[in-house]
Amino acid sequence: MTGTSITPAPLLRLRGRVQAVWAGDSLLLRLGPRARRVTPFGEEEMRHLHALRAGLTTEDVHARPWMRELHEAGLLEEVRPPSDDPDLGRFDRLLNFLSELELRGDDRYDMLARLRASHCVVVGLGGLASWTVYNLLCCGVGRLSVVDGDTVELSNLNRSILFTEGDVGRPKVDAARDSALRFSPRTTFDGHHMMIDSAGDLAPILADADLVLGVADQPPWLIKEWVALASHRAGVPFLQASGSRVGPFHRRQGDACSMCDWSGLLRERPERGEMLRRQQLLPRGDSGALSPLGSMTGGMIAMDALRHLLGITPLTADRVWEMGGDLTSVLSEVPNDPDCAVCSDTQTPLPLPSQFVRPA
């Protein structure tokens, strides 16, 4: 007689992001907008709460009204069986963070799979980009294509987390690839050692991208124009940043883009184009750089990239985030410009930066 195996009933436990706060003789359990108060909360409830952290059967949970209420409120989850997938261990805390988003109907494991299948193109590999790339690796983005034509210099190391002194003289993309794969060996990292001189240079790299992040600042405004044109032509969402200014995030037709930002600045000061042309004639200076500023701005870029990849509206959609030297930040509205030469279908577009100056 052949025996039949019985699948054990799944265990229930508190979601990882549930916060527990004392409130007199009560305990308030909270996850995002959802909350339940356990009154009274004594030694017996404390024992069961600790047991609930590890997992209890549905029968045990429903035997106590206060735990049943937690289950009905969505504060509990099923304990998944052990897995040999190393990413589930590596991204355990990320999965706990994503569990809060399950309240809107998504599954955290599906969200992680979506991030692991995502392909982001990063244009530029300076200090700001290095923190952006590092954050994307930490968030599980599965494929990165990075474009930069520079080599590592000793002066890069005060703000670039991906490089060491042993990398000085190497192409930045090669040094970054080695660093990225040591840190996240199951990530696909494509390095493109090349200088960008036009939108056409980027076209082959964007073929199957999900998102383009423009974090290069040279040549001023021209590189933003090329990234915007290439991304828009390829139909790929894009976000650009330079210094401590991030956005706007262009996802689809009707959203503002970085050239809408330029158009707005040009409307305010029509002489801006001439100023850009004249600025190009001056010798390039050596600006100061502070790693904490780059890490905070890079974190903002990566956070909005993560929001987009997970189907959440980015903070910089139709807005620009900017941080001042005193570390205070502001969000400014940047509407879609009907005369933008990149993302509008106007017959009378405002001039792009390249119409005022060509790179030397």
Side-chain angles (χ1 to χ4, degrees):
M1 184 176 184
T2 303
T4 57
S5 60
I6 299 176
T7 302
L11 299 179
L12 296 174
R13 67 180 177 190
L14 279 173
R15 292 185 182 274
R17 291 271 291 175
V18 170
Q19 295 177 312
V21 181
W22 284 108
D25 64 345
S26 302
L27 189 72
L28 183 65
L29 295 165
R30 184 170 52 206
L31 179 65
R34 304 188 184 193
R36 285 294 183 274
R37 186 184 296 269
V38 183
T39 306
F41 190 83
E43 292 184 6
E44 181 183 358
E45 288 77 18
M46 181 69 80
R47 286 196 302 271
H48 286 113
L49 184 68
H50 279 277
L52 197 56
R53 277 291 183 189
L56 292 172
T57 66
T58 303
E59 182 180 357
D60 286 338
V61 167
H62 287 191
R64 293 164 180 82
W66 67 273
M67 288 199 291
R68 183 174 65 248
E69 288 184 12
L70 296 183
H71 189 200
E72 293 169 349
L75 302 184
L76 306 186
E77 64 184 6
E78 288 190 4
V79 178
R80 288 175 65 99
S83 170
D84 58 1
D85 182 352
D87 281 345
L88 296 187
R90 181 183 182 96
F91 298 110
D92 178 73
R93 297 303 186 269
L94 173 62
L95 286 165
N96 283 347
F97 183 90
L98 295 176
S99 73
E100 191 167 328
L101 302 180
E102 290 183 325
L103 298 180
R104 63 178 194 163
D106 291 325
D107 178 86
R108 82 187 78 171
Y109 297 94
D110 290 343
M111 287 186 274
L112 177 60
R114 195 182 314 163
L115 293 174
R116 299 301 287 146
S118 296
H119 175 200
C120 291
V121 174
V122 181
V123 181
L125 203 47
L128 179 57
S130 75
W131 286 104
T132 301
V133 167
Y134 175 73
N135 276 296
L136 294 176
L137 293 170
C138 287
C139 290
V141 172
R143 181 182 173 191
L144 295 174
S145 294
V146 180
V147 185
D148 193 285
D150 281 341
T151 56
V152 179
E153 299 179 6
L154 193 61
S155 61
N156 297 145
L157 303 185
N158 82 310
R159 62 196 183 280
S160 299
I161 193 173
L162 299 177
F163 310 136
T164 69
E165 289 191 9
D167 293 319
V168 172
R170 299 183 65 198
K172 285 184 175 180
V173 293
D174 292 347
R177 180 178 57 243
D178 292 348
S179 179
L181 294 181
R182 280 194 302 269
F183 177 70
S184 184
R186 288 174 298 283
T187 298
T188 300
F189 192 103
D190 304 317
H192 300 269
H193 182 58
M194 56 186 290
M195 292 291 187
I196 301 300
D197 292 314
S198 70
D201 292 340
L202 285 170
I205 303 170
L206 307 188
D208 59 353
D210 297 302
L211 177 62
V212 178
L213 300 173
V215 281
D217 57 6
Q218 294 295 328
W221 281 109
L222 291 173
I223 186 63
K224 289 193 174 188
E225 174 186 327
W226 298 332
V227 170
L229 281 170
S231 302
H232 191 262
R233 289 169 181 170
V236 181
F238 60 98
L239 172 64
Q240 300 206 66
S242 57
S244 297
R245 186 177 176 88
V246 181
F249 199 125
H250 183 78
R251 300 164 296 165
R252 53 180 175 264
Q253 196 68 26
D255 284 354
C257 77
S258 45
M259 289 298 100
C260 291
D261 189 23
W262 162 262
S263 296
L265 296 173
L266 196 61
R267 288 180 190 280
E268 291 176 8
R269 298 185 64 183
E271 71 274 20
R272 185 174 293 274
E274 174 60 16
M275 292 170 59
L276 179 63
R277 185 193 70 80
R278 295 174 65 183
Q279 189 70 27
Q280 188 74 15
L281 301 176
L282 298 176
R284 180 178 171 183
D286 294 320
S287 61
L290 187 64
S291 180
L293 296 178
S295 65
M296 285 187 280
T297 305
M300 181 64 191
I301 298 166
M303 180 62 81
D304 253 12
L306 186 69
R307 290 171 68 92
H308 170 72
L309 294 172
L310 293 176
I312 304 170
T313 302
L315 191 65
T316 55
D318 292 328
R319 295 191 290 188
V320 163
W321 176 89
E322 191 165 15
M323 184 170 59
D326 59 354
L327 303 187
T328 59
S329 61
V330 295
L331 274 170
S332 304
E333 299 293 325
V334 178
N336 175 262
D337 195 302
D339 295 321
C340 174
V342 171
C343 67
S344 75
D345 56 2
T346 179
Q347 299 301 309
T348 56
L350 288 171
L352 289 167
S354 61
Q355 293 174 255
F356 295 97
V357 59
R358 295 299 304 173

